[in-house]
Structure formats: C-alpha cells, structure tokens
Amino acid sequence: MKSAEEIFEILKNEFGEAIISIEKDLPTEPIISINPFEIKKVCMFLRDNEELKFDSLMVLSGVDDANGEKIKDEDGTEIIKGGTLSVYYHLYSIPFKHKVTLKVSTPRENPQVESVESVWKCADWHEREAYDMFGIIFLNHPDLRRILMPYDWEAGYPLRKDYKNPEFYQGMKVPY
Amino acid sequence: MGLLDKEFSDGNIVITKVEDLFNWARLSSIWQLGFGLACCAIEMMATSASHYDFDRFGVIPRNTPRQADAIIISGTVTLKMALRIKRLYEQMPEPKYIISMGSCANCGGPYWEHGYHVLKGVDRVIPVDVYVPGCPPRPEALLEGLLKLQEKIRNESLMKKSV
Amino acid sequence: MALKTETMILNMGPQHPSTHGVLRLELELEGELIKNVKPHIGYLHRCFEKHAEAMTYPQVIPYTDRMDYLASMYNNFGYVLAVEKLLGIQVPERVEYIRVIMGELQRIASHLVAIGTYGLDIGAFTPFLYCFRDREKILSLFEMTCGARLLYNYMWIGGLSHDIHPDFVRLTKEFIKSFRPTIDELNYLLSYNKIFIERTANIGVLPLDTAINYGVTGPVLRGSGLAFDLRKNEPYSIYDRFDFDIPVGKGLMGTVGDCWDRYYVRVQEMEQSLRIIEQAIDQIPEGDVQAAIPKRIKPPKGTVYFRVENPRGELGYFIISDGSPNPFRVKVRAPSFVNLEVLGELCKGHLVADVVAILGSIDIVLGEVDR
C-alpha cells in the first residue's frame, strides 16, 4: 500500500513537469494536479506499473470551479467569464488496495482534456456525461455526444453555474 | 341500485338503459397499459401483486397501447419522454382514460423548482381524467383513484360528449 | 452470384414490458443474431445534481432516496456517511446498529424485487407473487418505524429521524424465522427449474478482466468469480463486527460468469443478510438516536469520496464543500450506470430473446442510471 506522497514522487520522477502539484492540507485526501494533455500517458503508466497497478477507475467527475469573474450580460443575466473547469479522477487498485485522486483543470472558454477511454473502458460514459453537463471536450474519444439530455438540446450545458433555462422545448413549457 | 334490480320474475330478463349497460361493461374491465416510469411504478406493481390485488377490479396489464383502455402515468415525466407519451396516447383507441399517479406526474413533484429536464405535470401534453396525489401514493390511494375513475365512467353518456 | 445482405435495426423502445423502466435499446440484427446493442438513456434524468447544489445538506437526503428507489435506505446511508466523514463526527452505537439492520433488510427487499421481476421476464409468473408477498412483510416493518413504504428519509446526518418501535425486535425475529423456508421454496421453484436453467446458463458470460476494466461492481462482479465486497474489503460503519460470507459465482450450471451465476449470487446474499441481522438484532445498545445531530451543518472546505455496497454494486458520493451550508458539487457514482455499459459486450452473438435475460441479470434501476 502506497500513500499519496509516495505515488507523487514516483510520478514526478517519471514524467517531470507534466505533474503540476499536490495539495496536502485538505481534511480528507490529497489531490495531485496534472496537465490536461498528458493525462492519458500518466494513467496508462499508473495502470501498468508493477508497484502501482491501478486497474479500476472508481469515478470521473466534471466540476465547474466558478472562479472566474461574474459579470452581468445585456439582459441582466449573470454569466461567468474566465476561470476553469476541472475533472477529478479517483483510482483504486484491487491487488494493492491503495487509492489516489487526480485533478486536471482547463480554461472555461475552450475546455479540452485528453480522453482516458483507451485505458479504462468505464471512462466512456463518464466522459460523455461530463461533456453533456459541462461542455468539456475529450480529445480522441470514440463517440462524444450527449447522453442524458436530448440529442437536440440547444440551450447549453446544464450543470454550469451560470446556466439559464429555456422557455419552450418542442412546444412544451419548461419552467413551472 | 344496479342492473339486477330490474329483473323480471323468471330471472333471465333485465330492463335497463343502453347507456348503463355500456358504462357497466366498460368500468368493470379497464385494461391498463403497463407503463411505469419511476418510483411510483413499484407501488403500481405492488398494487397488482397479491396483497392489494388489482385483478379483482378487472384491471389486467396489457403490453401494447393498441389493446389498452387506460394508461396509468406513474413517475416523473421528463422532456425526452414526453414526446413518446404523446405518441403512445395517440396510438390508443377510443374510449381511453388517463390516470396520473404521483406528485411528479401531477405537477412536477419535488423537482418543480430546479428541474431543467422535468415536465411539470403530464397534463401539459395529454388530457388527464383522475389525479392521484402522494409521493409515492399508497396502494390504497391508487385503488381509490381507480374507483373514482369508475364513478366517472358510470356517469358518462352516449349522446352528449363527456368533458 | 452472392446475395446482398444487410443488417436490420430493431428498436426496443422506452415503453417495453421487459426493460425494467424507460431504457431504449437499439439492436442491430442479422436474422435473430445480435451484432451490436446501443443503449440510449436519459429518459428519467431528474437533475439530482442541480438540486443538490441548491439545497442545504439535510435537505438533499429526500432527493437521494429517489435515485435508486428500490434501495432507498442505502442511498441515505452512503450520503450520510460521506457528510459525516467530512464533518468528522462520530454517531452513537445505537444508531450504528439500527442503520446496519435497516440496510440489510433493505438489501433483502431489493433482491426480492430483482429475483421476482427476473422470473417474470423469463416467463414465470408465480415467483413474482411470492417475492412481493414477502416484501410486504419487510415494508410493514419499515412503515412501523418511519411511516413510509418506499422512500424513507430515515437516516439523517448524525443520527436517525425516528427511534425504533418497541415491538420492532420481536417482529423482526418472527420475520427471520418465516423467511428462511421461503428461500428454499424459491430455489425449488425457480433456481433449479430446468426451463430457467436452459434460458440462463451459458448466456452472457462476462470474463473477469473485462469486468474489472469496465468497472462493474456488485453481484455482477462477484458472479464472475472475484470475492470483492466493500463490506469486507473496506469496512464502513460497524460491518467488521459481524461474521458473514461473500458468495461468488462458481459456474455450477454452466460457465463462471453467466446469467445463472449472477442470479444465484443474489439468492445467496439474501441468506447472508439474514445472518447479519440475526447477529445485530440481539446486540442493540441503549441510547438516544438524535443526540449527535449538529445544529448547523457547515463542513470545512474540502472534498470527500465515500463508497458503500448498494444491493446493485458500489455506490459512491463525491462531495465538494466550500464552507457554506449548501454543497458546492455532489456527484453520484451510480452502480447501474457503470454496469449498463457492459451490456454491449455481453449481447454479441446471442439471440434476441437472450437480451431480456442478460438485462435482467445485470439488474439496473433507471432512476440511478439517469439520476
């Protein structure tokens, strides 16, 4: 069983500046931040390395950090400019029983992250959901389209903090 | 009062109005389309099981809308599903009845405020006859809803269109 | 000269008697053989995560009930344990014991629905009625405790909403005594029935390394031979004090990892849950179930990921808190969402009628898949 700091050291030796930092003074678990375009190489290494063997991806979730500046649009609605969207990965190893949390951050205006679907197949639907809810584009994903919302939903990405509901959808009134 | 009150002396002849006969036949065998969406569907299944039997009222689940009299919308109706419900409703032959079961199908339920994908009440796409409140309604409440529907059918008329 | 052939696309639409809810499957067929299955979901997407950001921490608990509506005690359990880990509070012993008993009763009730509807899909109507009759007994125990039959809102952060009724222990012991013969009756009716075995053995075989790569958990993973159960591998609450086994699929009727194995793992798990309840019911200590509930719930800034063993698999809650009374982000890792991805792999090369058998053995709940 390895702790998060030891895993951070191993990754830093292997990949150098693709690994950005580790946040240690949180109440529950340390988080390792990684460059969004190198995440696939790092995950492939984490899965295949003999000492680490992270063979199961527990969850992959998109988060809207809401750390940009809030400005008011022409019609009085509040939108957020700047800031980041993040993706968190929680990994677990069945033979060795250790866990690690990874995080990547991308700019809000052009969110792009490398897809890890070729490493663990279960990331397929999780990434489609992150795209559907936040608009994060996963590069090299085999089939990136909406999964929970209707395929012709035009009104944006629902879980962003500045999302506004449309008035009508195909003839049905949406608000209460 | 029922049909058997008007028997003649030898017992095989009954005098009644045609309307009453049709209404009695329709309300005694309402065949429902088995359409469960969410948590209320489990209570509907429990109503059809042996503890709170649905079959003693003549209600049998059918699998296709073209052979069903009634549809029980049990569960939350989302925008994606509402278009399909409209199509199912149009596939049912007349006379047809809709029971809206549960808070979500009546008015959007607990998701009324922030649900961006929830249709706030199924009566925005199809006309509803009986609303059964509850989240989820107890099986006894659903049986009461069925009895109210039977009462509505009993008062229908062949000549005038019922609203 | 060669004949030109093409595959046919058949739609198993959102309204279908055997899809366990609103799921749409697009089948690509060559005659009766399946070449590809594409599931389309989202017909029950009820925006749980957006609601969780707008409510306070205790107000989210009724919404967690409604995700997996067949195991709502366990949904509450997972969320409450995650928030308690973030807050760092310790609940009284009485609360822990009652939570475990309620959780295991809920597991039995959920497996009864899974087995009953699986028999209904295959064509056997009687086990459905038998399973629902026993489920009514469990639901009346729950109703006596907290007043609701299906969606409870029972486990609160730091405690419970109501204490148990004085008759609860006696009635639960009567239930355990009357339920053991029912499992034997169910085996006799359904599990060793020749027609059932013909329809489920050697169908939908899931190899173990595919299962781990796809991230499946729960009875689906245990049916493929790996004894991985979060109650034993990463014990939470007080599960480490009880003595129970983890049933795995052994390929008794066919290959390891086929539909019969996954079904039989569920039947055996009901027996193990009875063992846990028997051990716990005699040891409930005295105490106050609402003593540790904090007046104001404002966790410190941070993230937590906590997972519990739902009847369907690993249910995980990823909560990000920014110090305010409302959560910043709640992400639910639903077991049925991940287990459903493996359907495309399992159905290749089988007949159309086997899709129903395979889908029933994975045991999904659409409220969880779509959240």
Side-chain angles (χ1 to χ4, degrees):
Chain A
M1 267 206 62
K2 292 204 180 310
S3 73
E5 286 88 6
E6 293 171 11
I7 300 177
F8 179 66
E9 289 308 316
I10 299 180
L11 286 177
K12 201 89 176 136
N13 293 341
E14 183 77 23
F15 288 100
E17 75 282 337
I19 316 291
I20 301 177
S21 64
I22 177 168
E23 273 174 69
K24 273 194 280 217
D25 49 346
L26 298 168
T28 40
E29 54 205 15
I31 303 181
I32 303 179
S33 299
I34 302 190
N35 185 343
F37 297 103
E38 312 276 332
I39 183 75
K40 180 167 152 207
K41 286 195 307 212
V42 175
C43 287
M44 195 77 89
F45 172 74
L46 283 171
R47 185 188 73 174
D48 297 329
N49 182 298
E50 287 309 315
E51 297 180 345
L52 300 177
K53 275 263 184 248
F54 281 106
D55 53 1
S56 118
L57 169 72
M58 293 197 287
V59 69
L60 189 164
S61 42
V63 177
D64 181 357
D65 292 322
N67 49 6
E69 46 164 313
K70 300 188 177 29
I71 54 181
K72 279 215 177 315
D73 214 1
E74 303 88 46
D75 44 359
T77 56
E78 218 180 63
I79 57 173
I80 304 185
K81 272 212 180 320
T84 55
L85 299 173
S86 310
V87 180
Y88 285 73
Y89 302 78
H90 286 83
L91 309 176
Y92 177 71
S93 161
I94 295 185
F96 293 121
K97 302 192 195 339
H98 46 226
K99 302 190 198 174
V100 75
T101 308
L102 309 174
K103 171 180 167 180
V104 300
S105 295
T106 77
R108 196 191 181 86
E109 315 307 4
N110 184 18
Q112 285 182 354
V113 176
E114 182 90 30
S115 159
V116 296
E117 189 261 343
S118 44
V119 182
W120 299 286
K121 280 252 179 303
C122 95
D124 188 357
W125 278 19
H126 284 286
E127 289 180 349
R128 275 179 70 183
E129 187 189 337
Y131 164 66
D132 190 4
M133 295 283 124
F134 291 96
I136 304 177
I137 312 271
F138 288 89
L139 308 166
N140 303 324
H141 191 273
D143 183 21
L144 195 67
R145 55 195 164 103
R146 288 196 184 260
I147 188 169
L148 294 175
M149 303 300 287
Y151 293 133
D152 57 352
W153 189 256
E154 307 274 323
Y157 300 106
L159 276 178
R160 289 198 182 182
K161 297 281 179 186
D162 54 352
Y163 169 74
K164 281 236 4 117
N165 246 337
E167 188 71 24
F168 278 94
Y169 170 68
Q170 295 220 14
M172 298 178 281
K173 183 160 180 282
V174 174
Y176 182 61
Chain B
M1 73 138 211
L3 288 175
L4 292 179
D5 286 353
K6 319 253 178 47
E7 267 180 84
F8 264 165
S9 50
D10 59 0
N12 269 334
I13 303 182
V14 174
I15 299 188
T16 177
K17 297 188 279 191
V18 170
E19 263 177 20
D20 283 348
L21 184 68
F22 271 30
N23 290 345
W24 168 77
R26 277 180 190 158
L27 64 88
S28 312
S29 81
I30 301 179
W31 286 5
Q32 52 139 348
L33 173 65
F35 193 54
L37 290 165
C39 350
C40 287
I42 308 295
E43 287 294 52
M44 192 175 72
M45 273 159 52
T47 316
S48 318
S50 44
H51 210 231
Y52 304 95
D53 194 6
F54 231 177
D55 201 1
R56 55 195 160 127
F57 294 98
V59 177
I60 306 179
R62 302 295 297 165
N63 293 333
T64 148
R66 300 197 189 267
Q67 297 171 359
D69 294 318
I71 181 171
I72 302 185
I73 311 274
S74 52
T76 319
V77 180
T78 56
L79 297 177
K80 209 169 176 179
M81 195 65 205
L83 305 167
R84 278 81 178 170
I85 290 186
K86 191 145 179 39
R87 189 172 232 194
L88 284 174
Y89 175 74
E90 286 162 4
Q91 281 182 345
M92 283 167 70
E94 289 277 347
K96 52 192 171 190
Y97 307 101
I98 317 282
I99 300 181
S100 159
M101 174 184 177
S103 190
C104 290
N106 290 347
C107 61
Y111 306 102
W112 67 275
E113 201 178 357
H114 302 280
Y116 46 82
H117 193 232
V118 170
L119 186 67
K120 318 289 188 301
V122 77
D123 49 8
R124 289 189 180 184
V125 281
I126 55 181
V128 171
D129 291 306
V130 176
Y131 295 87
V132 180
C135 190
R138 284 193 61 110
E140 289 99 335
L142 181 59
L143 290 175
E144 160 118 23
L146 178 73
L147 292 178
K148 282 251 178 324
L149 180 66
Q150 287 188 340
E151 213 176 283
K152 183 172 183 179
I153 300 177
R154 196 173 282 133
N155 296 333
E156 269 186 355
S157 155
L158 286 178
M159 297 295 128
K160 307 189 289 291
K161 270 226 172 292
S162 60
V163 184
Chain C
M1 89 176 184
L3 282 175
K4 172 173 172 290
T5 57
E6 26 178 80
T7 54
M8 176 173 105
I9 309 262
L10 185 68
N11 185 35
M12 242 170 107
Q15 186 265 328
H16 194 275
S18 311
T19 52
H20 291 265
V22 279
L23 169 68
R24 176 172 164 223
L25 295 176
E26 207 179 300
L27 310 171
E28 196 179 319
L29 301 174
E30 185 170 314
E32 280 262 332
L33 289 173
I34 296 186
K35 309 232 25 206
N36 202 6
V37 170
K38 269 196 341 189
H40 296 260
I41 61 177
Y43 291 91
L44 199 58
H45 178 56
R46 291 184 281 192
C47 337
F48 166 73
E49 297 175 358
K50 193 84 179 176
H51 279 90
E53 291 174 14
M55 310 270 153
T56 61
Y57 282 91
Q59 284 176 338
V60 176
I61 300 180
Y63 289 92
T64 62
D65 269 339
R66 282 150 174 83
M67 281 196 306
D68 177 2
Y69 35 83
L70 289 174
S72 27
M73 284 283 187
Y74 242 94
N75 293 4
N76 286 355
F77 204 179
Y79 176 74
V80 159
L81 286 177
V83 178
E84 283 170 4
K85 184 169 173 192
L86 200 54
L87 285 172
I89 59 181
Q90 183 70 21
V91 290
E93 286 275 311
R94 185 177 171 84
V95 172
E96 301 265 30
Y97 273 90
I98 298 179
R99 277 183 183 172
V100 166
I101 294 174
M102 291 298 179
E104 292 305 311
L105 278 174
Q106 182 70 77
R107 188 183 302 268
I108 299 178
S110 169
H111 282 324
L112 281 172
V113 177
I115 293 173
T117 49
Y118 194 41
L120 196 61
D121 287 342
I122 301 286
F125 194 68
T126 313
F128 171 75
L129 297 175
Y130 280 35
C131 290
F132 269 71
R133 172 198 65 183
D134 288 298
R135 188 166 174 262
E136 291 289 334
K137 295 185 193 152
I138 300 183
L139 292 188
S140 62
L141 283 175
F142 284 148
E143 190 179 348
M144 189 169 63
T145 317
C146 61
R149 276 168 53 100
L150 198 70
L151 305 167
Y152 314 106
N153 188 15
Y154 184 58
M155 308 202 186
W156 285 359
I157 299 175
L160 305 169
S161 71
H162 297 84
D163 204 345
I164 54 177
H165 196 266
D167 279 338
F168 182 80
V169 176
R170 175 182 62 90
L171 288 173
T172 310
K173 288 188 177 161
E174 274 176 26
F175 165 72
I176 296 176
K177 214 158 49 162
S178 78
F179 188 62
R180 279 226 159 84
T182 309
I183 300 187
D184 297 326
E185 203 177 40
L186 213 55
N187 274 337
Y188 181 61
L189 259 183
L190 197 60
S191 316
Y192 300 126
N193 185 331
K194 186 153 187 350
I195 302 180
F196 187 74
I197 296 176
E198 291 278 324
R199 275 209 68 176
T200 51
N202 292 322
I203 305 283
V205 179
L206 181 64
L208 187 57
D209 45 357
T210 316
I212 298 181
N213 201 358
Y214 268 93
V216 297
T217 48
V220 184
L221 180 64
R222 294 197 274 281
S224 292
L226 181 66
F228 183 75
D229 186 332
L230 284 174
R231 295 174 290 169
K232 282 252 178 195
N233 291 51
E234 268 182 44
Y236 49 91
S237 188
I238 48 168
Y239 273 104
D240 44 1
R241 295 188 205 173
F242 301 117
D243 176 36
F244 59 101
D245 300 321
I246 308 291
V248 279
K250 297 197 186 61
L252 287 176
M253 296 286 167
T255 1
V256 175
D258 58 11
C259 292
W260 196 87
D261 271 344
R262 295 192 275 273
Y263 156 83
Y264 199 57
V265 161
R266 292 195 180 102
V267 176
Q268 288 174 304
E269 274 186 10
M270 290 203 295
E271 171 71 44
Q272 300 301 319
S273 290
L274 278 183
R275 276 176 73 183
I276 298 179
I277 300 177
E278 264 179 340
Q279 291 166 44
I281 197 88
D282 289 319
Q283 299 173 17
I284 304 182
E286 297 300 321
D288 182 11
V289 298
Q290 306 205 333
I293 297 184
K295 283 266 179 319
R296 191 168 298 168
I297 300 187
K298 269 173 121 177
K301 264 185 151 185
T303 69
V304 66
Y305 178 68
F306 199 85
R307 48 187 192 158
V308 294
E309 180 80 22
N310 209 10
R312 281 163 186 84
E314 169 193 325
L315 173 69
Y317 283 90
F318 175 54
I319 303 183
I320 303 184
S321 145
D322 59 350
S324 70
N326 301 3
F328 184 71
R329 169 95 169 101
V330 175
K331 160 104 175 118
V332 177
R333 185 248 192 235
S336 307
F337 181 71
V338 184
N339 288 358
L340 190 55
E341 285 186 67
V342 90
L343 184 70
E345 282 285 318
L346 290 182
C347 285
K348 289 199 163 83
H350 287 297
L351 305 173
V352 174
D354 295 329
V355 172
V356 171
I358 296 174
L359 189 59
S361 74
I362 300 182
D363 189 21
I364 56 171
V365 168
L366 263 300
E368 216 177 27
V369 171
D370 292 336
R371 269 158 286 129

